[in-house]
Amino acid sequence: MTTRVGDDITFRRLEIFLAFMQEGNLTRTAEVLDTSTVSVHRALHALEEGLRCALFRHEGRNLIPTQAAQVLAEAAKDVLHLMAEGVRSTREAAGYASDQIRIGSLYSLTIKTVPTLLIALKVRKPELQPELVLGSNAVLLHKLAQGVIDAALMAIPDDAPDIESLPLFEDDIYFAAPVGSCYAEMAAVDLGSCADERFVSLTEGFATYKGFQEAFRIAEFTPNVVMQTGDIFSLMNLVSGGLGCTLLPGRVRDVFQHKVQLIPLQAKYAMRQTIGLNFLRTRERDPNLLTLLSVCRLSQASLA
């Protein structure tokens, strides 16, 4: 059975004890620790109570360490050092204040948002090594919950009370068709008139897929989806190849711009995604996350 240490013996009291052993004076110890001499005296007395032996002998107003105090001081140094290392290792294992930060992102954000933020992050904190993990909104949300990634650049999720989010920009959803299609000259597409059109889409779990489903719910018909894919660039290739039309966020406008045209939807189908930096509330004091948050705030104007 593990020997129990009494409640009177705490890390804080051991820290005060070691400071006193170094300073040799109640007043100087209190100054070093930014506390009162009464608090220092109480901590030393509580240790003696917990150990059930005297650590000091009185010579006038002075406290002189006994041999027992010398023995405790050596043990306390080892204990506090070991615990400090344990805290550091634990935080590092959890990704807290390590020299790496794992950032999740939607594929579509690698065009502009991710490079902008990573460059700014490298300037702000050169020693911090970012690792990029790509996936859908659903996948990134799961990885956040599991601690696989530290933060995620994605559409801000609904009904996620354990997630803290910093909005970065809003993005409109457009009708996407091959350049030169029958939709090319339209000021806005009436989705309700597209019931005979072929469509391609992302798979379930992507923020754009959710918007895709909602738009056709408003249009009151089930689209003829001839193919689904797991990343937005493959989806755009399918559109440019004439396999079908789709709905896309405006942030991909410059990709395949000579092959894929983005056309506004009529007002009743209008949708927007709010893109943000998302992380667990329990990690909000992580120094690396605080640095990333600062970079995001400073870069907001250039991300929209």
Side-chain angles (χ1 to χ4, degrees):
M1 181 177 178
T2 304
T3 302
R4 291 189 61 191
V5 177
D7 293 340
D8 290 323
I9 303 173
T10 66
F11 289 123
R12 177 58 178 166
R13 286 168 181 166
L14 289 176
E15 288 173 341
I16 292 172
F17 166 73
L18 286 178
F20 179 81
M21 291 292 287
Q22 180 174 333
E23 299 299 328
N25 178 278
L26 290 173
T27 301
R28 286 198 299 272
T29 302
E31 290 173 353
V32 167
L33 298 176
D34 193 24
T35 188
S36 66
T37 55
V38 173
S39 295
V40 174
H41 190 272
R42 284 176 179 169
L44 299 179
H45 181 68
L47 283 177
E48 289 183 318
E49 290 287 322
L51 291 163
R52 296 184 178 85
C53 68
L55 296 174
F56 306 96
R57 67 176 186 272
H58 292 266
E59 289 187 3
R61 293 187 175 182
N62 296 323
L63 294 177
I64 308 301
T66 64
Q67 181 60 32
Q70 301 294 345
V71 171
L72 179 62
E74 290 303 314
K77 289 176 186 176
D78 292 340
V79 167
L80 293 175
H81 175 74
L82 184 61
M83 193 61 211
E85 282 298 301
V87 169
R88 184 194 62 77
S89 299
T90 300
R91 287 176 170 173
E92 185 174 321
Y96 184 99
S98 69
D99 60 357
Q100 291 187 323
I101 185 167
R102 298 158 297 182
I103 305 171
S105 173
L106 299 176
Y107 292 90
S108 58
L109 295 175
T110 60
I111 301 167
K112 178 181 178 182
T113 303
V114 169
T116 299
L117 292 177
L118 291 186
I119 291 170
L121 184 62
K122 203 64 180 174
V123 171
R124 184 70 173 266
K125 200 170 184 179
E127 70 276 13
L128 187 60
Q129 298 298 319
E131 176 186 341
L132 189 63
V133 178
L134 300 177
S136 67
N137 238 60
V139 167
L140 294 176
L141 195 59
H142 178 72
K143 288 183 182 295
L144 268 182
Q146 297 298 312
V148 176
I149 56 177
D150 302 305
L153 293 162
M154 62 183 190
I156 293 178
D158 298 322
D159 193 27
D162 56 337
I163 299 294
E164 188 74 27
S165 302
L166 172 68
L168 297 177
F169 64 91
E170 290 193 333
D171 203 357
D172 291 314
I173 301 297
Y174 294 83
F175 187 90
V179 168
S181 72
C182 61
Y183 304 100
E185 303 303 321
M186 292 185 180
V189 174
D190 177 6
L191 205 56
S193 66
C194 300
D196 295 329
E197 183 65 73
R198 293 181 306 171
F199 288 91
V200 290
S201 80
L202 290 170
T203 52
E204 188 173 356
F206 285 86
T208 300
Y209 174 85
K210 184 178 179 181
F212 184 92
Q213 294 293 99
E214 176 62 17
F216 286 101
R217 185 193 67 77
I218 296 171
E220 298 182 336
F221 74 91
T222 300
N224 175 24
V225 177
V226 296
M227 184 172 286
Q228 290 185 313
T229 184
D231 80 83
I232 203 163
F233 302 120
S234 296
L235 182 66
M236 296 184 75
N237 271 315
L238 295 177
V239 174
S240 69
L243 195 62
C245 298
T246 193
L247 302 183
L248 290 173
R251 58 184 174 272
V252 299
R253 183 184 300 278
D254 293 335
V255 183
F256 304 127
Q257 59 182 317
H258 301 301
K259 296 181 179 181
V260 177
Q261 183 177 2
L262 268 58
I263 309 150
L265 289 164
Q266 286 188 353
K268 60 183 174 180
Y269 308 109
M271 288 174 293
R272 305 192 97 186
Q273 292 177 353
T274 301
I275 301 299
L277 180 72
N278 305 270
F279 54 93
L280 291 176
R281 290 183 185 275
T282 54
R283 298 287 306 282
E284 62 184 354
R285 295 185 181 277
D286 185 324
N288 290 341
L289 277 178
L290 291 174
T291 300
L292 180 57
L293 279 165
S294 178
V295 165
C296 285
R297 290 189 181 100
L298 290 172
S299 303
Q300 275 177 313
S302 62
L303 298 177

